[in-house]
Amino acid sequence: TDIAQLTFGAPNDQYPSYSPDGKKIVFARNTSGIMGLWTMNADGSNPQTLTHTPYIDERTPAFAPADQTVYFARNNTPGDNNTYEIYSFDLASGQEDQLTALNQGITEDPAPSPDGRLIAFQSWDATHLYVMNTDGSNAMDLTEIINSNCPGDCPIEGQPAFSPDSLRIAFVSQRSGSGEIWLIHPDGSGLQQVTNIYDVVQSWWSPDGTYFTFELYQGIYVISADGNGRRAVMTGGQFTFPRWAP
């Protein structure tokens, strides 16, 4: 496998996300202990600061389908890394809007649907799967909808990603005892387990919807969307946050 390093010099670059046209990557960069958002060309050239608020962490960015908006999570309280909400940033105007005010600890990992209607994300200290409209309205806790034992005894789940046709959400859940890839419709129906591997994290659909890529023991793997044919792509290092190029 050919591996190309795209960023240099920073102590910690994380959460890469391609623009839908594949020309740009937005990511979070740690400078002086604070995460801020950056963009660069897909080949790593022309890195530029997108947002950087002093003493405030900004992370888990994702491009909207139309390329003009980036969704991300921001910690509004300096020094408190346990409270995040989701925001939008308009690339043309520079306008920022707060989309969530759930006050449930860590609310992050916005994943917009390709049809531009919905955003899946995780909340309740990053342990519940949610979906909402792109303007922040009608936030729905899917974890509570599909678990009769909630809120007292809910499985940990999150890290969502919409299917290319916007009809299903892939997410990582511990409902079977360990981290596995599951599927669900945005209305909370159609729950389905995909993998039975143990300790999967950070899954992501291929552009044609036929594969997932995911992180397992700091390696990157791919597997068919039906859960068969797992193979290693990158191992022997510390590889995280896999994303498919469009």
Side-chain angles (χ1 to χ4, degrees):
T1 300
D2 293 331
I3 301 175
Q5 184 172 344
L6 300 181
T7 63
F8 300 84
N12 197 349
D13 292 334
Q14 300 182 41
Y15 309 111
S17 176
Y18 276 95
S19 62
D21 63 7
K23 296 180 179 179
K24 295 283 187 179
I25 296 173
V26 63
F27 62 99
R29 168 166 286 181
N30 186 327
T31 57
S32 303
I34 300 296
M35 300 294 289
L37 303 187
W38 288 62
T39 61
M40 63 182 175
N41 294 333
D43 63 1
S45 63
N46 196 30
Q48 295 183 352
T49 302
L50 183 63
T51 66
H52 186 72
T53 307
Y55 310 111
I56 297 293
D57 266 340
E58 296 159 330
R59 65 190 194 188
T60 64
F63 272 103
D67 286 11
Q68 291 301 307
T69 302
V70 171
Y71 302 108
F72 65 99
R74 170 181 284 163
N75 166 20
N76 279 330
T77 305
D80 178 8
N81 290 326
N82 297 310
T83 304
Y84 288 79
E85 299 289 351
I86 294 174
Y87 288 73
S88 64
F89 181 87
D90 187 277
L91 297 173
S93 67
Q95 179 178 336
E96 296 181 3
D97 292 304
Q98 183 172 345
L99 300 183
T100 65
L102 297 176
N103 299 313
Q104 294 175 168
I106 299 175
T107 298
E108 62 176 358
D109 263 1
S113 60
D115 64 9
R117 296 178 51 251
L118 300 171
I119 300 173
F121 62 98
Q122 58 189 31
S123 190
W124 275 108
D125 280 337
T127 62
H128 282 211
L129 177 69
Y130 273 72
V131 67
M132 66 180 176
N133 296 330
T134 51
D135 63 0
S137 63
N138 197 29
M140 184 167 55
D141 187 338
L142 296 181
T143 296
E144 287 205 356
I145 289 174
I146 58 180
N147 289 278
S148 59
N149 293 330
C150 284
D153 184 21
C154 297
I156 296 173
E157 50 198 17
Q159 301 169 10
F162 266 96
S163 61
D165 61 9
S166 301
L167 297 180
R168 293 175 295 174
I169 301 168
F171 64 102
V172 175
S173 175
Q174 296 186 10
R175 63 180 53 246
S176 62
S178 65
E180 303 290 354
I181 300 173
W182 290 69
L183 300 178
I184 195 170
H185 295 301
D187 64 0
S189 66
L191 182 65
Q192 175 187 351
Q193 184 173 353
V194 176
T195 64
N196 188 17
I197 298 172
Y198 195 83
D199 276 353
V200 170
V201 294
Q202 292 291 338
S203 65
W204 204 256
W205 293 85
S206 64
D208 62 3
T210 59
Y211 291 94
F212 292 108
T213 182
F214 60 92
E215 177 188 341
L216 179 68
Y217 304 126
Q218 297 183 339
I220 304 300
Y221 291 76
V222 296
I223 197 168
S224 295
D226 62 4
N228 295 314
R230 179 184 65 174
R231 63 182 178 88
V233 176
M234 293 180 287
T235 59
Q238 186 173 355
F239 302 107
T240 61
F241 307 112
R243 293 292 183 266
W244 289 90

